[in-house]
Amino acid sequence: FHQGQFKEATGKHDQNNWNLYWKACGFTNSDYKNVKRWQILNHFPKGNTITRKDSLARCLKRMRMVYGSVYNFFPASYNLPNDYKKFLSYFTKVQNKKGKQTWICKPSDLSRGRGIFLFDCLSDLLYEGSTVVQRYIDNPYLIGGYKFDLRIYAVATSYHPLRIYIHQDGLVRFSTEKYTGSVL
C-alpha cells in the first residue's frame, strides 16, 4: 500500500478523510450507506453469500432449481442442522440402493481444512454448529494418479457493471499420495 501512495490512518480521524477501508471481516449496513463516492471498502454487501460454505451450497441449490442440469457440477449438499431431515431421507435412499457411500462433513465457518471429516455411517456424523454435508466424489479428476485442486486468484471491483480481474498466475496443489479410491 505504501508503494501505491497510501498511508495508514491512525488514531481518531475524520469520517471523510480516507480512500480505502480494509477489514478482515465484513462491514455493517451503515458502513455501506455512509461510504462516499471516492471511498472503497474491501468487501461487497452480502459477499459472504459465496464465500461461506453453507451460503454457497444454498445458492448453488437454488440455481440448480432454476437452471436445471447446467448446475449439476456439484454433489448432493445439505446444510445441517436445517436440512437434516432431507439429508437423512437421501442418505437412507442412497444407502439402500447402492450400499455404503462416503460423505464429507465441512464446518461452515472454518477454513484450511480444519474440522473436515469423512463418514459412511450416521453414527459417525458428529458436528457442532452449521455444517455442510456432501456426497464424497469417489471418482475425482486426477493428474498422474494424484488428487489436486486449482486456485485462481481474482478480484471483483464492481458487480454493476460486472468487472473482474483474474491474475495471470494460479496455484495447483497436489496430494502427497496417489489416490486409491479407498478413503475410509
Side-chain angles (χ1 to χ4, degrees):
F1 287 115
H2 296 289
Q3 290 175 341
Q5 306 304 315
F6 286 100
K7 65 180 182 179
E8 186 175 352
T10 57
K12 192 169 181 165
H13 57 279
D14 181 4
Q15 287 286 19
N16 298 322
N17 194 19
W18 56 272
N19 292 2
L20 173 65
Y21 191 169
W22 193 276
K23 282 175 69 174
C25 57
F27 293 92
T28 65
N29 286 337
S30 63
D31 289 330
Y32 291 113
K33 288 178 185 172
N34 295 328
V35 71
K36 305 297 183 232
R37 190 170 184 83
W38 66 87
Q39 295 173 326
I40 299 170
L41 305 177
N42 72 315
H43 291 280
F44 285 104
K46 307 282 184 194
N48 65 351
T49 306
I50 60 172
T51 59
R52 275 185 56 107
K53 294 174 200 75
D54 54 347
S55 298
L56 179 60
R58 194 174 304 110
C59 287
L60 287 172
K61 287 191 285 188
R62 285 184 190 146
M63 296 300 282
R64 183 183 279 165
M65 287 181 0
V66 172
Y67 297 106
S69 64
V70 171
Y71 278 82
N72 279 348
F73 60 85
F74 67 99
S77 304
Y78 298 90
N79 292 343
L80 303 185
N82 294 352
D83 294 341
Y84 186 77
K85 288 182 180 179
K86 290 178 188 175
F87 164 67
L88 184 59
S89 173
Y90 186 76
F91 180 91
T92 304
K93 184 174 88 174
V94 169
Q95 298 291 67
N96 290 338
K97 192 174 185 180
K98 297 183 176 184
K100 280 194 171 190
Q101 299 290 304
T102 304
W103 294 79
I104 187 166
C105 183
K106 306 173 188 178
S108 297
D109 58 350
L110 295 180
S111 59
R112 302 187 315 262
R114 291 176 295 158
I116 293 176
F117 64 92
L118 302 176
F119 67 96
D120 62 4
C121 181
L122 279 177
S123 62
D124 294 333
L125 176 58
L126 303 172
Y127 61 93
E128 293 180 21
S130 176
T131 62
V132 174
V133 172
Q134 296 176 308
R135 286 271 309 265
Y136 187 76
I137 299 171
D138 54 3
N139 60 341
Y141 292 122
L142 302 172
I143 296 178
Y146 292 91
K147 289 181 74 174
F148 66 95
D149 69 14
L150 302 174
R151 299 283 171 113
I152 299 171
Y153 297 97
V155 62
T157 58
S158 173
Y159 285 158
H160 189 73
L162 181 61
R163 186 176 304 122
I164 300 174
Y165 297 93
I166 300 174
H167 196 280
Q168 66 184 13
D169 295 330
L171 179 67
V172 180
R173 299 184 311 169
F174 288 93
S175 64
T176 56
E177 298 178 16
K178 284 198 171 193
Y179 181 72
T180 62
S182 60
V183 291
L184 288 177

